[in-house]
């Protein structure tokens, strides 16, 4: 058991994701429930260094559970990567009598939190907030489910055009290192092929597969491409290759971009954020530190930050097989 905590802080860091506000609300209200003071830190580690803090009570987080983005703003801080910057951040926390910190962010933010703890022994707890779902120790990161719904909605709309004009659409979705979004939306959106960083299909096999679909009677096709896919240098080169090597289709590209990160969080993300916030605060109050709160077998569990950072979030092989069968 650590020393009794009287005041906690919460910040959001790295790329924003839907559900961050619901997590802030949960942290603030769990603190209020346990009669612990809570402080919001603006602009992630940048605000931590500048001492940009705001006292938050249960009422100050009203009306935000349904809002995308983060009311505390997010930032990437170069200064926090330096020992000097982290020293200033530590002093700000001590001067404000803060006893523990909840960090909502991705693996970069967790790396910063872990280094900070190792240097100063300051208690930290992570909540995974990123749409990519690329973090070990949780089946779902905050924002992943919302992003899936947003992308499926976009695919449905693009399909209307694809089928009206006999078009082949390449749709790029987020996922630099992992294909979780691509694989799930590909299945849900009825894509003919799904290109993900974990698998190198090869250009010739892609063309072969699209030709096969066409011969089987398909008049339009959708191919989902994760932005980190290694098959082509970028989605436009992929389009050029298929244009040159396939006949009968009008080939188009759609890059969905940042719209995937926005919007009101889904019911799933709101519930997940609420559960994770409770667990993060209660774990800190129980004297735990250097953990990430995650969802494992639908239970909210702690995973050491070090493992969460170093571990690989693996693609679901069963989903890969399902997608293969569905594109028959
Ligand atoms: P996303 O998944 O959206 O990219 P992230 O949390 O991984 O989110 P990063 O930009 O990698 O985003 O990290 C956020 C911030 O965490 C950085 O701007 C920096 O301040 C801090 N950080 C990242 N890596 C380190 C590190 N090695 N040492 C100290 N601080 C770090």
């Amino acid at each position: 058991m650590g020393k009794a905590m009287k005041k906690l802080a919460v910040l959001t860091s790295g790329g924003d994701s839907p559900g961050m506000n619901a997590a802030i609300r949960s942290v603030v209200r769990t603190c209020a429930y346990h009669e612990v003071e809570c402080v919001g830190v603006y602009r992630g580690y940048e605000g931590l260094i500048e001492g940009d803090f705001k006292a938050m009570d249960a009422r100050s987080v009203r009306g935000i559970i349904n809002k995308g983005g983060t009311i505390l703003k997010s930032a990437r801080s170069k200064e926090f990567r330096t020992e000097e910057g982290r020293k200033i951040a530590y002093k700000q926390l001590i001067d404000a009598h803060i006893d523990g910190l909840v960090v909502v962010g991705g693996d970069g933010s967790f790396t910063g939190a872990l280094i900070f703890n190792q240097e100063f022994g300051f208690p930290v707890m992570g909540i995974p907030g990123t749409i990519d779902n690329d973090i070990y120790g949780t089946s779902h990161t905050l924002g992943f489910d919302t992003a899936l719904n947003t992308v499926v909605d976009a695919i449905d709309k693009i399909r209307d055009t694809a089928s009206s004009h006999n078009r082949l659409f390449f749709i790029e979705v987020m996922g630099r290192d992992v294909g979780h979004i691509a694989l799930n939306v590909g299945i849900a959106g009825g894509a003919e092929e799904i290109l993900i960083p974990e698998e190198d299909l090869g250009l010739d096999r892609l063309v072969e597969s699209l030709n096969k679909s066409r011969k089987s009677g398909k008049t339009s096709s959708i191919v989902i491409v994760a932005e980190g896919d290694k098959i082509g240098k970028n989605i436009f080169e992929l389009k050029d290759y298929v244009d040159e090597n396939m006949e009968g289709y009008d080939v188009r590209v759609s890059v969905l971009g940042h719209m995937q990160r926005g919007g009101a969080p889904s019911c799933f993300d709101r519930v997940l954020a609420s559960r994770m916030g409770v667990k993060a605060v209660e774990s800190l109050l129980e004297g735990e530190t250097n953990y990430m709160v995650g969802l494992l077998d639908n239970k909210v569990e702690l995973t050491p930050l070090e493992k969460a950072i170093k571990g690989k979030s693996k693609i679901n092989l069963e989903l890969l097989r399902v997608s293969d069968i569905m594109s028959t």
Side-chain angles (χ1 to χ4, degrees):
M1 196 71 177
K3 76 172 172 98
M5 296 206 169
K6 297 197 179 79
K7 201 182 207 180
L8 299 184
V10 57
L11 60 79
T12 49
S13 169
D16 66 304
S17 71
M20 280 185 163
N21 278 328
I24 295 167
R25 173 181 180 269
S26 174
V27 167
V28 170
R29 293 210 167 151
T30 309
C31 283
Y33 179 84
H34 289 286
E35 297 179 351
V36 169
E37 282 182 72
C38 191
V39 163
V41 179
Y42 285 104
R43 294 173 294 111
Y45 293 127
E46 209 154 280
L48 198 60
I49 290 168
E50 289 171 19
D52 195 359
F53 303 161
K54 184 193 168 202
M56 298 183 93
D57 63 14
R59 297 287 73 75
S60 64
V61 287
R62 65 158 71 101
I64 65 167
I65 193 168
N66 56 335
K67 301 269 191 297
T70 157
I71 58 161
L72 289 177
K73 315 273 183 199
S74 191
R76 302 193 197 265
S77 165
K78 273 196 188 140
E79 218 184 332
F80 196 76
R81 290 178 182 270
T82 67
E83 207 181 325
E84 201 44 47
R86 293 191 294 271
K87 231 181 234 170
I88 300 169
Y90 178 65
K91 190 170 180 311
Q92 293 284 13
L93 286 167
I94 295 302
D95 288 352
H97 307 289
I98 293 165
D99 304 307
L101 176 66
V102 178
V103 173
V104 188
D107 58 348
S109 305
F110 294 164
T111 306
L114 187 60
I115 292 173
F116 189 63
N117 173 275
Q118 287 163 348
E119 282 172 348
F120 304 103
F122 198 86
V124 293
M125 196 60 61
I127 293 180
T130 165
I131 65 163
D132 289 343
N133 209 35
D134 57 351
I135 297 191
Y136 177 86
T138 188
S139 60
H140 292 75
T141 53
L142 283 186
F144 176 55
D145 182 69
T146 304
L148 295 184
N149 288 312
T150 304
V151 176
V152 167
D153 193 40
I155 295 171
D156 286 349
K157 288 178 174 135
I158 291 170
R159 187 175 282 288
D160 289 346
T161 295
S163 53
S164 304
H165 293 273
N166 285 4
R167 277 182 185 158
L168 166 60
F169 262 95
F170 284 99
I171 304 177
E172 185 183 278
V173 301
M174 282 190 176
R176 259 165 308 171
D177 307 309
V178 287
H180 295 299
I181 292 181
L183 187 53
N184 282 275
V185 301
I187 293 172
E192 275 60 54
E193 284 295 343
I194 304 168
L195 308 181
I196 55 175
E198 291 87 344
E199 264 209 334
D200 191 353
L201 182 65
L203 286 169
D204 294 335
R205 268 189 54 209
L206 172 68
V207 170
E208 194 185 306
S209 157
L210 291 171
N211 270 326
K212 207 172 125 202
S213 301
R214 200 164 155 67
K215 277 185 195 134
S216 78
K218 282 191 183 168
T219 52
S220 67
S221 278
I222 285 188
V223 176
I224 301 296
V225 186
E227 59 186 339
D229 169 66
K230 296 180 182 67
I231 195 172
K233 280 203 189 83
N234 69 47
I235 194 166
F236 294 98
E237 289 177 5
L238 202 62
K239 171 200 180 288
D240 290 345
Y241 185 88
V242 172
D243 248 346
E244 282 161 23
N245 291 280
M246 233 186 120
E247 281 176 13
Y249 272 141
D250 180 11
V251 189
R252 297 294 163 101
V253 166
S254 182
V255 177
L256 297 186
H258 281 83
M259 58 94 85
Q260 296 167 85
R261 288 230 296 245
S266 63
C267 174
F268 181 91
D269 276 327
R270 296 180 202 191
V271 175
L272 183 62
S274 304
R275 294 173 75 186
M276 285 180 165
V278 170
K279 182 77 173 176
V281 169
E282 293 190 339
S283 299
L284 277 172
L285 297 182
E286 282 162 14
E288 304 289 4
T289 182
N290 294 2
Y291 286 101
M292 179 197 79
V293 177
L295 192 68
L296 294 170
D297 289 332
N298 202 27
K299 286 200 199 79
V300 182
E301 308 270 9
L302 298 180
T303 294
L305 276 180
E306 196 160 1
K307 269 195 177 175
I309 295 161
K310 288 190 183 148
K312 277 253 166 285
S313 128
K314 291 206 178 100
I315 207 80
N316 183 336
L317 296 177
E318 188 230 350
L319 288 187
L320 266 184
R321 184 161 178 272
V322 169
S323 85
D324 276 349
I325 295 173
M326 288 307 109
S327 59
T328 300

